[in-house]
Amino acid sequence: MANHSIKGKVVLIAGGAKNLGGLIATDLAEQGAKAVAIHYNSESSKADAENTVAAIEKAGAKAVALQGDLTSAAAVEKLFADTVAAVGKPDIAINTVGKVLKKPMTEISEAEYDEMTAVNSKTAFFFLKEAGKHVNDNGKVCTIVTSLLGAFTPFYASYAGTKAPVEHFTRAAAKEFGARGISVTAVGPGPMDTPFFYPAEGADAVAYHKTAAALSPFSPTGLTHIEDVVPFIRHLVSDGWWITGQTILINGGYTTK
Ligand SMILES: NC(=O)c1ccc[n+]([C@@H]2O[C@H](COP(=O)([O-])OP(=O)(O)OC[C@H]3O[C@@H](n4cnc5c(N)ncnc54)[C@H](OP(=O)(O)O)[C@@H]3O)[C@@H](O)[C@H]2O)c1
């Protein structure tokens, strides 16, 4: 029987400096991971990455921060190569990279479409590809998508539409990597109380989202909170190993699939 405990494991988290990725990183360190490599992209995330490295080390794990724009296959290959060099082959690889655009389809430019595809689909594909090459046997791989995959709503064509392929990448990867005991999942949070959410939304839309989940009245903001998503990720990358190939929405009853 394989050991599915987080204790002693090596973790890689793309977008692991802050918000959801940052909390996953510190949580897995607190659960006993041996080493956590976190990735960040923007210069403005560097201080968050340093703070998260300090929090991981405080929890007793080795930590390294790796920078990169992951919209090229070469950059994702480098991220995995640098992770292996710094902390060893990952047992757990989680991709939280994403970009939102809320706009009518008639106003979306070709450049915007290309960027959304690059960040949400291409990065996720090549992250899964490299995970399939570098993650240890009996490892766990997870991609963060969006609860909008369960919605029938306007204006998110370029966001939900470029996260949607990840559901199929996940299915294929789960079948292909399953022979090595690797679980592959996708998790779609509901509208989350992080700085990622608010700039894309108007005041009316924020007010709506704060009431849109079945359990909204019991959330401090009405929204999904990263603290509600992290325990589920922790489960998926440990004792929840039997769940594979699936996309699961964590949203207090905002959308369903
Ligand atoms: N907040 C929400 O309402 C919500 C709801 C559902 C799903 N999600 C998804 O949850 C995930 C985490 O979101 P969050 O709320 O925690 O916000 P976040 O911290 O801003 O997460 C987005 C991440 O994507 C990274 N990123 C963007 N462009 C990149 C690129 N070209 N190359 C590499 N990395 C890039 C960002 O890095 P830098 O900031 O360093 O550029 C950041 O770490 C995202 O995938 C998002 O789509 C969010």
Side-chain angles (χ1 to χ4, degrees), residues 203-221:
D204 286 357
V206 170
Y208 163 73
H209 282 112
K210 287 184 170 184
T211 62
L215 300 179
S216 282
F218 303 95
S219 157
T221 59

mmCIF file of all heavy atoms in Angstrom, residues 203-221:
data_model
loop_
_atom_site.group_PDB
_atom_site.id
_atom_site.type_symbol
_atom_site.label_atom_id
_atom_site.label_comp_id
_atom_site.label_asym_id
_atom_site.label_seq_id
_atom_site.Cartn_x
_atom_site.Cartn_y
_atom_site.Cartn_z
ATOM 1 N N ALA A 203 -19.553 46.791 -8.613
ATOM 2 C CA ALA A 203 -20.135 46.721 -7.263
ATOM 3 C C ALA A 203 -21.393 45.851 -7.243
ATOM 4 O O ALA A 203 -21.603 45.069 -6.304
ATOM 5 C CB ALA A 203 -20.453 48.133 -6.765
ATOM 6 N N ASP A 204 -22.213 45.943 -8.288
ATOM 7 C CA ASP A 204 -23.442 45.139 -8.334
ATOM 8 C C ASP A 204 -23.120 43.652 -8.385
ATOM 9 O O ASP A 204 -23.772 42.838 -7.719
ATOM 10 C CB ASP A 204 -24.287 45.490 -9.565
ATOM 11 C CG ASP A 204 -24.973 46.838 -9.407
ATOM 12 O OD1 ASP A 204 -24.826 47.445 -8.331
ATOM 13 O OD2 ASP A 204 -25.631 47.271 -10.374
ATOM 14 N N ALA A 205 -22.104 43.315 -9.194
ATOM 15 C CA ALA A 205 -21.733 41.902 -9.350
ATOM 16 C C ALA A 205 -21.133 41.366 -8.048
ATOM 17 O O ALA A 205 -21.409 40.232 -7.654
ATOM 18 C CB ALA A 205 -20.743 41.731 -10.496
ATOM 19 N N VAL A 206 -20.334 42.190 -7.363
ATOM 20 C CA VAL A 206 -19.779 41.759 -6.066
ATOM 21 C C VAL A 206 -20.929 41.492 -5.098
ATOM 22 O O VAL A 206 -20.963 40.458 -4.414
ATOM 23 C CB VAL A 206 -18.799 42.809 -5.492
ATOM 24 C CG1 VAL A 206 -18.424 42.468 -4.045
ATOM 25 C CG2 VAL A 206 -17.545 42.912 -6.357
ATOM 26 N N ALA A 207 -21.884 42.406 -5.068
ATOM 27 C CA ALA A 207 -23.032 42.241 -4.162
ATOM 28 C C ALA A 207 -23.803 40.968 -4.506
ATOM 29 O O ALA A 207 -24.211 40.219 -3.609
ATOM 30 C CB ALA A 207 -23.944 43.462 -4.252
ATOM 31 N N TYR A 208 -23.977 40.706 -5.793
ATOM 32 C CA TYR A 208 -24.682 39.484 -6.205
ATOM 33 C C TYR A 208 -23.920 38.237 -5.753
ATOM 34 O O TYR A 208 -24.500 37.316 -5.156
ATOM 35 C CB TYR A 208 -24.862 39.454 -7.732
ATOM 36 C CG TYR A 208 -25.204 38.069 -8.223
ATOM 37 C CD1 TYR A 208 -26.468 37.521 -8.008
ATOM 38 C CD2 TYR A 208 -24.227 37.262 -8.836
ATOM 39 C CE1 TYR A 208 -26.767 36.225 -8.402
ATOM 40 C CE2 TYR A 208 -24.525 35.967 -9.234
ATOM 41 C CZ TYR A 208 -25.781 35.457 -9.013
ATOM 42 O OH TYR A 208 -26.077 34.178 -9.389
ATOM 43 N N HIS A 209 -22.615 38.214 -6.035
ATOM 44 C CA HIS A 209 -21.824 37.022 -5.700
ATOM 45 C C HIS A 209 -21.806 36.762 -4.196
ATOM 46 O O HIS A 209 -21.697 35.615 -3.766
ATOM 47 C CB HIS A 209 -20.395 37.152 -6.255
ATOM 48 C CG HIS A 209 -20.324 36.872 -7.725
ATOM 49 N ND1 HIS A 209 -20.044 37.830 -8.663
ATOM 50 C CD2 HIS A 209 -20.548 35.727 -8.408
ATOM 51 C CE1 HIS A 209 -20.081 37.289 -9.873
ATOM 52 N NE2 HIS A 209 -20.380 36.017 -9.752
ATOM 53 N N LYS A 210 -21.943 37.818 -3.416
ATOM 54 C CA LYS A 210 -21.943 37.637 -1.952
ATOM 55 C C LYS A 210 -23.210 36.941 -1.443
ATOM 56 O O LYS A 210 -23.271 36.541 -0.285
ATOM 57 C CB LYS A 210 -21.765 38.988 -1.250
ATOM 58 C CG LYS A 210 -20.337 39.509 -1.366
ATOM 59 C CD LYS A 210 -20.121 40.790 -0.585
ATOM 60 C CE LYS A 210 -18.637 41.114 -0.554
ATOM 61 N NZ LYS A 210 -18.341 42.291 0.255
ATOM 62 N N THR A 211 -24.199 36.826 -2.325
ATOM 63 C CA THR A 211 -25.452 36.152 -1.920
ATOM 64 C C THR A 211 -25.738 34.933 -2.780
ATOM 65 O O THR A 211 -26.789 34.303 -2.620
ATOM 66 C CB THR A 211 -26.646 37.117 -2.052
ATOM 67 O OG1 THR A 211 -26.765 37.503 -3.424
ATOM 68 C CG2 THR A 211 -26.461 38.361 -1.204
ATOM 69 N N ALA A 212 -24.829 34.605 -3.706
ATOM 70 C CA ALA A 212 -25.168 33.628 -4.762
ATOM 71 C C ALA A 212 -25.021 32.172 -4.347
ATOM 72 O O ALA A 212 -25.552 31.293 -5.022
ATOM 73 C CB ALA A 212 -24.314 33.903 -6.001
ATOM 74 N N ALA A 213 -24.287 31.898 -3.271
ATOM 75 C CA ALA A 213 -24.100 30.496 -2.859
ATOM 76 C C ALA A 213 -25.182 30.097 -1.855
ATOM 77 O O ALA A 213 -25.651 30.921 -1.061
ATOM 78 C CB ALA A 213 -22.714 30.314 -2.232
ATOM 79 N N ALA A 214 -25.531 28.805 -1.869
ATOM 80 C CA ALA A 214 -26.532 28.314 -0.916
ATOM 81 C C ALA A 214 -26.112 28.611 0.525
ATOM 82 O O ALA A 214 -26.949 28.914 1.376
ATOM 83 C CB ALA A 214 -26.728 26.812 -1.116
ATOM 84 N N LEU A 215 -24.795 28.544 0.765
ATOM 85 C CA LEU A 215 -24.289 28.744 2.131
ATOM 86 C C LEU A 215 -23.763 30.160 2.368
ATOM 87 O O LEU A 215 -23.150 30.425 3.403
ATOM 88 C CB LEU A 215 -23.187 27.707 2.435
ATOM 89 C CG LEU A 215 -23.627 26.236 2.347
ATOM 90 C CD1 LEU A 215 -22.436 25.298 2.640
ATOM 91 C CD2 LEU A 215 -24.772 25.941 3.312
ATOM 92 N N SER A 216 -24.020 31.076 1.423
ATOM 93 C CA SER A 216 -23.536 32.457 1.570
ATOM 94 C C SER A 216 -23.882 33.089 2.928
ATOM 95 O O SER A 216 -23.045 33.774 3.524
ATOM 96 C CB SER A 216 -24.071 33.355 0.446
ATOM 97 O OG SER A 216 -23.359 33.156 -0.740
ATOM 98 N N PRO A 217 -25.106 32.866 3.460
ATOM 99 C CA PRO A 217 -25.434 33.515 4.744
ATOM 100 C C PRO A 217 -24.515 33.093 5.890
ATOM 101 O O PRO A 217 -24.461 33.773 6.913
ATOM 102 C CB PRO A 217 -26.877 33.050 5.012
ATOM 103 C CG PRO A 217 -27.422 32.666 3.686
ATOM 104 C CD PRO A 217 -26.268 32.141 2.898
ATOM 105 N N PHE A 218 -23.787 31.983 5.699
ATOM 106 C CA PHE A 218 -22.937 31.475 6.778
ATOM 107 C C PHE A 218 -21.454 31.764 6.541
ATOM 108 O O PHE A 218 -20.601 31.326 7.305
ATOM 109 C CB PHE A 218 -23.182 29.964 6.950
ATOM 110 C CG PHE A 218 -24.627 29.678 7.224
ATOM 111 C CD1 PHE A 218 -25.492 29.336 6.194
ATOM 112 C CD2 PHE A 218 -25.145 29.829 8.504
ATOM 113 C CE1 PHE A 218 -26.837 29.117 6.437
ATOM 114 C CE2 PHE A 218 -26.493 29.617 8.755
ATOM 115 C CZ PHE A 218 -27.343 29.259 7.725
ATOM 116 N N SER A 219 -21.145 32.489 5.442
ATOM 117 C CA SER A 219 -19.764 32.883 5.152
ATOM 118 C C SER A 219 -19.564 34.314 5.647
ATOM 119 O O SER A 219 -20.466 35.148 5.488
ATOM 120 C CB SER A 219 -19.533 32.833 3.641
ATOM 121 O OG SER A 219 -18.452 33.671 3.278
ATOM 122 N N PRO A 220 -18.399 34.642 6.212
ATOM 123 C CA PRO A 220 -18.177 36.011 6.721
ATOM 124 C C PRO A 220 -18.394 37.082 5.656
ATOM 125 O O PRO A 220 -18.810 38.192 5.967
ATOM 126 C CB PRO A 220 -16.724 36.001 7.186
ATOM 127 C CG PRO A 220 -16.315 34.573 7.264
ATOM 128 C CD PRO A 220 -17.259 33.762 6.430
ATOM 129 N N THR A 221 -18.103 36.762 4.396
ATOM 130 C CA THR A 221 -18.298 37.737 3.314
ATOM 131 C C THR A 221 -19.429 37.334 2.379
ATOM 132 O O THR A 221 -19.804 38.101 1.497
ATOM 133 C CB THR A 221 -17.034 37.848 2.443
ATOM 134 O OG1 THR A 221 -16.766 36.546 1.915
ATOM 135 C CG2 THR A 221 -15.825 38.330 3.228
#
